[in-house]
Amino acid sequence: MKDILLIALFAFGGAMCAGVLGAVVLRLVRHRSVAVSLTVIAAVTVTAMLAGTLAVAQAMFLSRHDLGVVTLVVAMAAVVSLAVALVLGRWVVARSRELSLATRDFGDGGSFAAPPGLATAELDSLSRELAATSEKLAVSRERERALETSRRELVAWISHDLRTPLAGLRAMSEALEDGMAEDPARYHRQIRTEVDRLNSMVGDLFELSRIHAGALALSPSRMSVYDLIGDALSGVHPLARERGVRLDGAAVDRVPVEVDGKEMTRVLANLLINAIRHTPADGTVAIAASVRAGGGAVIVSVTDGCGGIPAEDLPRVFDTGWRGTPARTPPAGVVSVPAPPAGAGLGLAIVRGIVEAHAGRAAVRNVPGGCRFEVTLPVST
């Protein structure tokens, strides 16, 4: 038993010396290639075995011949181990370089494609992560392109919409200044109308900029959808009466929600005004609210009689600057009252932004004779 402990002590001492030396070398080459590190590890392993074997052989007083045989066997094992380590290291380095080139391609705007061939579990996992990242970047680039296109269209439309009322205001003010206005009171009323329109447009732009910047500050409180819809209907009733449109709010459940009352009233008002403007005289705009199956959300819907929206335009309805007035046509045989001047196409974009800030969703679909806008909100528990 004593001899065995002595042999173990000699073997451990020799292996420890080789291990410490190997650790020092690994630290020195830690910034080098993986192949170099694998070669050093293999060399350390063989050296530790050789040192332990030689220490034990010396302690056991082997003959010179036997010691030479042991040394030769260990040396051959060292050569094979180093060769395998070099081959494995070069293979890992080659795979790493292929991954690096593939990563560079999708970083420059392309998509990531994992290089063909076998790979280690770690490199395979890294390839999957890079592929997932590439998909996310592609979606982000597409969203950025869509936003940039939307911003350009918005600037063009806003420039046109601002230029028209400003030109009218200038012409009316010059007529009043030169004393050419036959009915100054009418001119004053028209100036007031145009100023209100400009003020509304600027307010929408400010609201939309806050939404896009993520600076929309909400003050949610528990309230009933019934009360929200009642306030919105009261606000748009004069416009509906002027346009000859009936408002139907009978199918509204008393469902509690946690929302910012001011912002959500603006959402409903925008939807109702939009529906009234595109519904012909003697038409009906219906607003309803009910709990979705499962009880986790409430759906508020506004249904108009606009005649429907072309299928190709439905995905763009909530985009900034979208205006589909020419596409909305009342049913055949129905005479509609001329609509007031269209806005800058910001109302529905604001609706979507506010609803999404409440962890909800806004959608639209065609129904017989018109379209239905739906706002889905989580139910307050």
Side-chain angles (χ1 to χ4, degrees), residues 143-162:
R143 186 185 302 114
E144 184 179 354
R145 283 193 290 267
L147 287 175
E148 183 60 29
T149 301
S150 178
R151 279 193 291 266
R152 286 198 298 268
E153 292 177 351
L154 176 62
V155 170
W157 286 328
I158 287 294
S159 299
H160 176 270
D161 287 338
L162 288 177

Side-chain angles (χ1 to χ4, degrees), residues 1-270:
M1 187 65 180
K2 183 179 179 181
D3 292 340
I4 294 177
L5 291 176
L6 186 61
I7 291 173
L9 182 61
F10 275 103
F12 179 78
M16 180 60 70
C17 292
V20 171
L21 180 61
V24 173
V25 175
L26 279 176
R27 181 173 178 81
L28 293 176
V29 300
R30 63 184 183 277
H31 298 302
R32 302 292 295 276
S33 171
V34 175
V36 175
S37 298
L38 289 175
T39 303
V40 171
I41 291 173
V44 169
T45 303
V46 174
T47 304
M49 182 179 64
L50 177 61
T53 302
L54 291 179
V56 172
Q58 289 288 351
M60 293 176 65
F61 304 103
L62 293 178
S63 65
R64 184 178 297 275
H65 175 268
D66 293 340
L67 185 60
V69 171
V70 171
T71 304
L72 180 61
V73 171
V74 175
M76 292 300 100
V79 171
V80 173
S81 299
L82 291 175
V84 171
L86 283 173
V87 172
L88 178 61
R90 289 176 64 86
W91 178 71
V92 172
V93 169
R95 293 293 300 174
S96 298
R97 287 175 179 170
E98 291 174 357
L99 274 179
S100 177
L101 291 175
T103 304
R104 186 182 307 167
D105 289 339
F106 93 82
D108 291 337
S111 59
F112 175 80
L118 299 175
T120 63
E122 291 79 7
L123 291 179
D124 186 59
S125 176
L126 179 59
S127 296
R128 290 195 298 270
E129 291 295 331
L130 289 173
T133 302
S134 175
E135 292 179 2
K136 292 178 182 177
L137 283 176
V139 172
S140 178
R141 292 191 190 102
E142 185 62 30
R143 186 185 302 114
E144 184 179 354
R145 283 193 290 267
L147 287 175
E148 183 60 29
T149 301
S150 178
R151 279 193 291 266
R152 286 198 298 268
E153 292 177 351
L154 176 62
V155 170
W157 286 328
I158 287 294
S159 299
H160 176 270
D161 287 338
L162 288 177
R163 188 181 299 113
T164 302
L166 287 174
L169 287 172
R170 180 173 181 176
M172 286 185 287
S173 61
E174 290 177 350
L176 289 170
E177 183 179 5
D178 296 339
M180 302 295 294
E182 298 180 358
D183 187 358
R186 176 175 171 273
Y187 274 66
H188 288 145
R189 288 193 300 271
Q190 186 64 28
I191 288 174
R192 175 64 180 271
T193 300
E194 294 297 336
V195 169
D196 288 343
R197 181 185 172 197
L198 287 172
N199 184 61
S200 176
M201 191 182 303
V202 171
D204 286 346
L205 282 172
F206 178 70
E207 183 78 2
L208 195 61
S209 67
R210 288 199 303 161
I211 291 172
H212 286 171
L216 182 63
L218 299 177
S219 301
S221 60
R222 183 184 173 89
M223 59 185 61
S224 173
V225 173
Y226 184 87
D227 296 331
L228 283 172
I229 292 178
D231 293 340
L233 286 174
S234 298
V236 301
H237 190 266
L239 176 62
R241 185 173 60 249
E242 176 187 347
R243 299 267 297 152
V245 175
R246 293 183 296 274
L247 296 176
D248 181 7
V252 178
D253 294 340
R254 297 178 181 272
V255 184
V257 288
E258 193 84 14
V259 296
D260 186 310
K262 177 182 176 182
E263 296 295 343
M264 196 52 59
T265 299
R266 179 168 190 166
V267 166
L268 298 178
N270 281 0

